[in-house]
Amino acid sequence: MIETYLKGFEAFSRNGGAAAPSWARSLRLSGITRFEELGFPSTRNEDWHFTSVAPIAERDFAPLTSATSGVSAAQLAPFTFGGEGWHTLVFVNGRYDAGLSSAAGLPDGVSVLPLARAYDELPLLLEQHVGRIASIDAHTFTALNTAFINDGAVVHVGKDIEVARPIHLLFVSDAKAVDGIAQPRNLIVLDRFAKATVIESYATVARGAGAYFTNTVTEATIGEGATLTHLKLQRESAQAYHVGTLDVQQGRDSHLVSFSFAIGAALSRTNVYTELRGEGCGATLNGLYLGDDRQHIDHQTRIEHIAPNCYSRELYKGILDGASHGVFNGKVYVHPAAQKTDGKQTNNTLLLSERAQIDTKPQLEIFADDVKCTHGATVGRLDETSLFYMKSRGINARTARELLTYAFAADVLETIELAEVREGLEAAVLKRYTES
Amino acid sequence: MLDIKDLRATVGDKEILKGITLTVKPGEVHAVMGPNGSGKSTLAQVLAGHPAYEVTGGSVTYDAEDLLEMDAEVRAQKGVFLAFQYPVEIPGVSNAYFLRAAYNEIRKARGEEEIDPMSFADLMDEKMQLVEMEGDMLSRSVNTGFSGGEKKRNEILQMAVLEPRLAILDETDSGLDIDALRIVAHGVNSLRGPDRATIVVTHYQRLLNYIVPDYVHVLANGRIVRSGGKELALELEARGYDWLLEEAVA
C-alpha cells in the first residue's frame, strides 16, 4: 500500500534520515512526493503492460533500517565465484556490513565506499550525481527508492585508472528480511579513460523463508573514453520481489558493457537504461533469464542514441519452463541528431513447457535518416532438426535436449569476459538443465 | 547388411517413396542417382530415422534387425551414419564436445569404455589430417559460421571418427569445388573396407570419379527405374535423365 510507505517516510525523516546532508534530504522529499503522485503502475501503463505489480502493491513491506548480523562469510561463498582479490562490499538486508566487506588493495584514486562514508569523503561527487542520472518523473520505483536513500555503494574511479580486479557489490538477504523492503542506492562514476568491472549481486542465504522486496537503483556515469563493464546477477529467493534499475549516462567515446542474469524471485523487473550522449560511444546490453514454476521475469531496456556515430548491440535470451512468464521490452531510441547510429537488438526465448509464456516487444524509434538499425525476436521450442542431427550421431534424445538447452544459454553467457563469472554461470546453467 | 523391401514413405500427405527395393552387402558401394524431387534424399533421411517422414509400407532390415523400429540414435549406435546434405549449425556446442559425446555414446552402446579427453585429442589429430582441417575448428561451435565446404568436410570428419558400418552420403558433393570434393572423397575412400558399406546419393556423376561405386541405381518419382554397374553413371552423364524417365513411363 502507498500509505505504508508515506508513513514509513515520516518515521524515516525523523530518525535515520537526519544524518544525511541537506541536498539528500530534499532529494528524498522530491522522491516521496513523486511516488505519492504516481502510485503503483497499473497494466494500463505501457511500461508495465505485461507485468502486474499487484503482489508488491498489495503487501505491506516494512523498511529494513537497522543493521542485522548473523550472516557468515562461508554463507556468501556460493555468490562470490571464488574471485581472489576482488574488492567486495557486502550488504545484508540492504545495510552495509563492514565485517563481511573487503575493498583492500584498491589503486590510488579509486574509492569503493558505503554511502554513509561517501557523504563525508566524497560529498561533492555525490551531490553532483545522485538523483541526477536516474529520473523519477515516470518511474514509481525509482521515486520510492529515492525517498528512502540511506545506504548503498559508491564507486569512483579517477582519470586514466584501470581497476584490474572486479568490484563486487553483494546484496544478500537473510531470514530477517521477510516482510521487509531493502532499497539500496548505488552510484558508479568513471572519470575520463577509466576502466572498471562492477558486479551487482542480489542473493539470499535463507531460501524459502518468505517474501521480501528489494527495490534497487544504480546510477552510473561513464566519462570520456572510459569503459564500464556492469554485471547484474539477480539470484533472489523464490518468494522474493525484485525491482532493479540501472541508469547510465555515457560521455564521448565511452563504452558500457552490461549483462543481466536473472534466475530468482517470484516477480522481478530489471531496467537497464543508457543514454549515449557523446559521439563514438558503444553500448552492449546482453542478458539471460531463466524461469520456472510460476516465476515472472521482466526486463526493460532503453538505449537512447543522442549523439552521432555510436553503436549499440543487444542480445537477451531466455529459457522458460513450468508456468513461468517472461517479458522483454527493449527500446532503441534514435534522436534526430544521432546520424550514423548502428544498432542491433535481438531477443530469443526458448519455451520448454506448454504453460510457459513470453511477451516480447523489441522496438525501434528512429528520428534520424542515416542510420543502420535492426531488431528481431524469436520464440520457440528446441529445434527438431538440431535434435535429429545430434541423435543421428548417436547422442541419446535426453542428452541432445539437455545439450541444446544449455547451448542456447551458453551462446549469450560466452559474451561475459570475466572468466570467473562466465564459468560460474555456465556451470550453474549446465547443472540446472542436465542430470549429470 | 541392408535389405530394403518395397519401402514407402510420406511427408505430410505426399507420398515420396513409392516402393523401393535395394540390397547392400558388406564391402559394397552403391550410388543412388536421380533428378531433383526423385526421392533420393528422402531415402537417405528415412534410413537415418528423420522424424519428418512417415514410413507407410515395406521393410528395412539391417544386420538381421528391423531398422525402422529403431530410434535415430540407436541406428547411429549400431553403425548407421548419414552425412547431411545441409549440416545443422548448433551455436553454443563446440565441435570437440559434440564429437566426443557422440563417440562415447557409440562406444557405450558397444560395451566399450569412454575415451579420456587426452586420447580423444590424439584421435582427433589423426582424423583431422585426413580431411585437411585446422585445429581451431574443434573449439568452434558445430558448423556455426562454417563455409559450405567446411560443413561438408566436418561431416566426413564425424564419419571418420565414428567409423560407421553403413555410411550414407546425401549429396555431399553439392556445392563443393574440385579440391574440396577430392578431400571429401579421400576421406570416404579411406573408410572403405570389407565390413563396411556406403550409399552415395548424388545428382552428378562427377563424385563417382572419385568414389567408384559397385552399383548405380537411378531413382525417379519414388522408384528405382534402372540399376547397373558404374558405367550406368557415365551413360547418365552423357545422356541426362530424360531418356530413362521416358522409358519408365512407357
Side-chain angles (χ1 to χ4, degrees), chain B residues 172-188:
Chain B
T172 298
D173 51 336
S174 65
L176 287 189
D177 64 31
I178 193 71
D179 292 330
L181 188 73
R182 277 201 198 102
I183 293 168
V184 163
H186 174 65
V188 173

Side-chain angles (χ1 to χ4, degrees), chain A residues 346-360:
Chain A
T346 309
N347 173 228
N348 306 127
T349 303
L350 177 61
L351 299 177
L352 294 180
S353 109
E354 295 287 333
R355 293 172 301 148
Q357 61 167 313
I358 174 79
D359 288 295
T360 178

Side-chain angles (χ1 to χ4, degrees), chain A residues 383-386 388-399 403-404 406-408 410-411 414 430, chain B residues 45 48-51 72-73 76-77 81-82 84 88 90-93 97-98 102 105-106 143 155 158:
Chain A
D383 179 43
E384 286 297 329
T385 309
S386 302
F388 172 59
Y389 188 66
M390 298 182 93
K391 289 196 279 187
S392 80
R393 300 303 181 246
I395 296 173
N396 71 55
R398 199 191 70 208
T399 306
L403 206 50
L404 282 178
Y406 167 72
F408 182 87
D411 178 50
E414 271 173 15
L430 192 64
Chain B
Q45 304 250 28
H50 196 294
E73 59 269 37
Q77 287 159 7
F81 181 93
L82 171 67
F84 279 52
V88 180
I90 311 179
V93 178
Y97 189 96
F98 178 65
E105 291 258 13
I106 286 174
N143 292 326
E155 293 294 285
Q158 292 174 18

Side-chain angles (χ1 to χ4, degrees), chain A residues 197-221:
Chain A
T197 295
V198 177
I199 306 160
E200 257 181 65
S201 283
Y202 297 87
T204 181
V205 294
R207 276 186 197 288
Y212 61 90
F213 179 25
T214 305
N215 178 36
T216 175
V217 173
T218 298
E219 296 177 279
T221 174

Side-chain angles (χ1 to χ4, degrees), chain B residues 8-203:
Chain B
R8 291 166 183 274
T10 58
V11 60
D13 293 336
K14 198 171 174 221
E15 188 170 50
I16 311 280
L17 300 185
K18 299 173 180 175
I20 303 270
T21 297
L22 178 66
T23 300
V24 178
K25 295 196 176 72
E28 293 178 350
V29 174
H30 289 246
V32 174
M33 303 185 70
N36 290 331
S38 59
K40 56 189 193 300
S41 277
T42 300
L43 175 63
Q45 304 250 28
V46 166
L47 291 176
H50 196 294
Y53 300 95
E54 191 188 347
V55 174
T56 50
S59 66
V60 179
T61 309
Y62 171 71
D63 282 346
E65 287 187 274
D66 184 351
L67 186 76
L68 300 176
E69 279 296 305
M70 298 175 198
D71 289 332
E73 59 269 37
V74 177
R75 298 181 200 202
Q77 287 159 7
K78 288 181 184 287
V80 178
F81 181 93
L82 171 67
F84 279 52
Q85 181 179 5
Y86 302 110
V88 180
E89 298 188 4
I90 311 179
V93 178
S94 76
N95 251 313
Y97 189 96
F98 178 65
L99 266 169
R100 196 155 65 87
Y103 186 73
N104 279 330
E105 291 258 13
I106 286 174
R107 285 180 70 97
K108 254 193 300 187
R110 289 182 193 149
E112 295 166 0
E113 295 227 343
E114 291 194 9
I115 192 169
D116 63 86
M118 289 298 284
S119 312
F120 187 72
D122 292 343
L123 177 74
M124 291 306 299
D125 280 347
E126 176 200 328
K127 300 295 186 183
M128 293 201 14
Q129 280 178 17
L130 187 69
V131 289
E132 299 179 23
M133 288 181 97
E134 301 290 332
D136 72 320
M137 64 75 63
L138 280 178
S139 58
R140 289 161 65 187
S141 290
V142 178
N143 292 326
T144 308
F146 284 29
S147 70
E150 282 178 321
K151 284 182 181 174
K152 295 298 175 78
R153 272 193 276 170
N154 199 21
E155 293 294 285
I156 303 306
L157 172 67
Q158 292 174 18
M159 182 174 131
V161 171
L162 302 179
E163 299 189 323
R165 290 196 62 227
L166 175 64
I168 305 161
L169 310 179
D170 186 7
E171 304 210 24
T172 298
D173 51 336
S174 65
L176 287 189
D177 64 31
I178 193 71
D179 292 330
L181 188 73
R182 277 201 198 102
I183 293 168
V184 163
H186 174 65
V188 173
N189 285 330
S190 66
L191 270 171
R192 290 176 73 163
D195 297 330
R196 305 179 199 279
T198 309
I199 297 174
V200 183
V201 173
T202 181
H203 188 76

Side-chain angles (χ1 to χ4, degrees), chain A residues 309-345:
Chain A
N309 295 305
C310 296
Y311 73 85
S312 60
R313 291 287 177 275
E314 184 167 19
L315 174 63
Y316 268 78
K317 295 186 97 170
I319 301 176
L320 301 174
D321 206 345
S324 62
H325 183 176
V327 179
F328 174 79
N329 190 337
K331 190 177 277 186
V332 177
Y333 192 100
V334 182
H335 289 243
Q339 300 293 4
K340 303 286 181 192
T341 289
D342 175 3
K344 185 168 189 229
Q345 182 190 50

